[in-house]
Amino acid sequence: MWLEILLASGLGFLIYWFVSRDKEETLPLEDGWWGPGAKPTVREDESILPFKVETSEEEIRDLHQRIDRFRPTPSLEGSRFHYGFNSKYLKKILSYWRNEFDWRKQVEILNKYPHFKTKIEGLDIHFVHVKPTQLPSGCSPKPLLMVHGWPGSFYEFYKIIPLLTDPKSHGLSDEHVFEVICPSIPGYSFSEASSKKGLNSVATARIFYKLMLRLGFQEFYIQGGDWGSLICTNMAQLVPSHVKGLHLNMAFVLRSTHTLAPLLGRRIGGLLGYTERDMELLSPFKEKVFYSIMRESGYMHIQATKPDTVGCALNDSPVGLAAYILEKFSTWTNADFRDLEDGGLERKFSLDDLLTNIMLYWTTGSIVSSQRYYKENLGQGLMTQKHEWMKVSVPTGFAAFPCELLHLPERSVRAKYPKLLSYSYMARGGHFAALEEPDLLAQDIRKFVTLVEQQ
């Protein structure tokens, strides 16, 4: 009798395991209130209002005075970018910023696309909304939400937007024409910061989902890197029936049995599904993974624990803010740029683009609230939230840029995103893909959408 009970129990467990292991779970679609005080009893105003980026002579004069008062610290001989931002090169940046950078001109560039604000869960949410100027006969634009990360901004997408909304003018097929929406994460740039603790990536995903509904989109594509990749992933976990496809150029895959496979060598890695290109990008493993994470994660520990402390200094000093952020644009674009006196910054970006991104943090005073996002998402530790354990059940595309902070092989990505339709080894590029390699990223998004619509 006991044998029969044990066999029946074992069989029942196996059946449950096979049936439930790939069950498509969703995150609960809850609600929130992040504005000051208690949530009002009246219904939230859902109007969408035009917004314009502005500046003033006083704002520019204050910036220049603060730059003039900067107290430099000499770099160590031969230190280049190994100790952080090289102060010799910083002097060049500051000279350009103070004497040549034209913020008024950059404000005009920022305003070349339509900006809007709308109140969601108690916060003013800022977004850029670009519709195609021309469409092929009988064609409807495909709504695409693109989400930035830290220390970036919505401005990262300014070079890729025309490739997606007006492909024909840029030598691309008009098979896919997109209507692009680029919101600012709450607490970044012109999106209002939360007054309460707890606004994490899941809450942001819900807010952006409500934004898309408010704009009239029931189904849409989503794309992101850095925090944007997590926010978009959470959106796919919250409302998979509304997400036609999810495209990422970074992913947070913490639950994978293959993470340490490269340690076992190329032969074992090959048996576990790793390609030669994977092994190249992960070798030597100790340098590319362990040492790299140690070198590049100090900021994360600070921001995930005491963001307000360092934030006080950065919010008070434009020079400190620039050094703190631009150092990431150097090393995260290519780790080898640490060996250069100028951090390789102008090899991939213009000073105008880099300083425009800095100004979006400086003029809005948003560096502290942007850093708090790390504490809200990482402050309780890894693998403590449901979404970290959940798979994603929507069609997914992944662009693996070779100089990303950590390479993720297809096998690892598929562990979390089982409906992975495309995985691309990109020819070049790093963490800030949309700003650095807009052509490559646009091509991969278009390829992925083709695969989704062929299903």
Side-chain angles (χ1 to χ4, degrees):
M1 178 181 174
W2 286 108
L3 180 60
E4 286 87 343
I5 292 173
L6 286 171
L7 288 173
S9 299
L11 181 60
F13 173 79
L14 287 173
I15 293 171
Y16 171 80
W17 184 74
F18 276 111
V19 169
S20 66
R21 62 175 180 160
D22 290 322
K23 183 180 178 182
E24 294 183 358
E25 289 186 276
T26 58
L27 292 172
L29 190 61
E30 299 171 340
D31 204 358
W33 173 261
W34 308 102
K39 183 178 180 179
T41 54
V42 297
R43 184 173 178 177
E44 191 167 66
D45 180 4
E46 296 186 357
S47 57
I48 297 172
L49 302 175
F51 172 78
K52 189 175 182 180
V53 184
E54 295 179 336
T55 187
S56 66
E57 193 61 41
E58 181 183 356
E59 184 175 71
I60 296 171
R61 184 169 55 251
D62 175 70
L63 170 70
H64 289 171
Q65 290 173 350
R66 289 170 184 265
I67 292 174
D68 290 341
R69 292 197 298 268
F70 171 59
R71 297 188 304 169
T73 301
S75 298
L76 295 173
E77 294 177 5
S79 61
R80 292 159 291 183
F81 264 61
H82 289 280
Y83 281 70
F85 208 98
N86 185 296
S87 61
K88 289 181 183 177
Y89 181 63
L90 183 59
K91 290 179 181 178
K92 177 187 173 180
I93 296 274
L94 298 183
S95 175
Y96 183 85
W97 197 3
R98 174 65 174 82
N99 303 309
E100 299 177 60
F101 178 73
D102 188 342
W103 176 230
R104 291 189 183 278
K105 177 185 174 184
Q106 295 307 116
V107 165
E108 290 179 9
I109 291 173
L110 288 171
N111 285 322
K112 76 176 181 177
Y113 296 131
H115 294 247
F116 302 89
K117 280 190 176 183
T118 189
K119 186 79 75 174
I120 304 177
E121 297 192 7
L123 300 178
D124 277 331
I125 301 300
H126 160 264
F127 61 99
V128 171
H129 186 179
V130 186
K131 299 180 181 180
T133 55
Q134 54 184 344
L135 281 169
S137 178
C139 174
S140 298
K142 299 172 175 65
L144 172 64
L145 179 79
M146 304 189 78
V147 186
H148 67 88
W150 187 92
S153 64
F154 66 90
Y155 183 64
E156 287 182 68
F157 301 116
Y158 266 48
K159 287 178 168 51
I160 198 174
I161 285 174
L163 305 178
L164 298 169
T165 58
D166 188 17
K168 200 165 186 179
S169 297
H170 295 85
L172 300 171
S173 163
D174 58 7
E175 176 189 7
H176 302 303
V177 181
F178 297 90
E179 183 171 341
V180 178
I181 300 92
C182 302
S184 294
I185 297 171
Y188 287 69
S189 299
F190 304 110
S191 277
E192 187 178 357
S194 174
S195 295
K196 296 173 172 59
K197 297 186 292 183
L199 194 150
N200 59 12
S201 61
V202 176
T204 307
R206 184 180 63 242
I207 288 171
F208 289 170
Y209 163 62
K210 290 180 178 180
L211 171 64
M212 295 302 279
L213 291 184
R214 194 169 294 182
L215 292 172
F217 302 119
Q218 290 295 322
E219 284 190 318
F220 42 84
Y221 289 95
I222 52 180
Q223 200 283 329
D226 196 85
W227 282 129
S229 72
L230 184 57
I231 292 165
C232 289
T233 293
N234 293 158
M235 192 180 296
Q237 293 168 324
L238 282 166
V239 288
S241 62
H242 292 266
V243 177
K244 290 192 69 175
L246 165 68
H247 186 278
L248 306 172
N249 54 281
M250 183 180 177
F252 296 84
V253 180
L254 303 175
R255 184 189 179 191
S256 175
T257 57
H258 305 287
T259 305
L260 300 179
L263 277 174
L264 304 176
R266 289 179 180 266
R267 186 174 177 182
I268 300 298
L271 291 173
L272 292 173
Y274 282 54
T275 67
E276 277 297 313
R277 182 59 175 152
D278 292 331
M279 300 307 292
E280 288 173 11
L281 293 170
L282 288 168
S283 299
F285 189 77
K286 188 162 59 173
E287 167 63 28
K288 291 286 184 70
V289 179
F290 288 127
Y291 291 166
S292 177
I293 290 173
M294 288 287 288
R295 273 192 300 261
E296 296 303 322
S297 62
Y299 82 99
M300 183 172 63
H301 294 290
I302 292 172
Q303 294 173 193
T305 53
K306 303 290 180 66
D308 287 27
T309 304
V310 67
C312 286
L314 301 180
N315 196 48
D316 191 58
S317 168
V319 179
L321 179 69
Y324 194 79
I325 288 179
L326 292 184
E327 181 248 308
K328 306 305 179 193
F329 275 83
S330 165
T331 309
W332 293 2
T333 298
N334 189 321
D336 292 339
F337 286 174
R338 281 190 298 263
D339 298 329
L340 305 175
E341 292 288 335
D342 63 358
L345 281 168
E346 293 175 76
R347 295 190 177 194
K348 293 287 188 171
F349 310 106
S350 71
L351 289 183
D352 282 344
D353 284 339
L354 292 171
L355 289 172
T356 296
N357 184 67
I358 299 299
M359 290 294 284
L360 288 172
Y361 282 89
W362 175 253
T363 58
T364 60
S366 58
I367 185 61
V368 175
S369 51
S370 76
Q371 291 176 311
R372 288 174 182 162
Y373 208 64
Y374 281 79
K375 186 168 180 64
E376 304 298 7
N377 286 288
L378 302 173
Q380 296 178 357
L382 298 177
M383 304 308 290
T384 59
Q385 301 179 65
K386 184 178 179 181
H387 70 82
E388 295 173 299
W389 295 88
M390 285 175 55
K391 294 185 179 182
V392 176
S393 62
V394 306
T396 304
F398 190 85
F401 285 87
C403 294
E404 183 54 274
L405 290 167
L406 181 63
H407 173 67
L408 274 181
E410 180 177 349
R411 184 73 179 267
S412 298
V413 176
R414 194 177 295 279
K416 186 172 183 70
Y417 304 88
K419 293 186 179 179
L420 187 68
L421 298 187
S422 72
Y423 179 96
S424 307
Y425 294 103
M426 308 306 284
R428 59 188 177 276
H431 186 70
F432 303 97
L435 185 62
E436 180 192 352
E437 298 291 348
D439 294 300
L440 291 182
L441 184 59
Q443 290 169 18
D444 201 66
I445 292 170
R446 289 165 55 83
K447 180 184 81 172
F448 166 64
V449 170
T450 297
L451 293 172
V452 173
E453 304 203 344
Q454 285 177 348
Q455 285 189 313

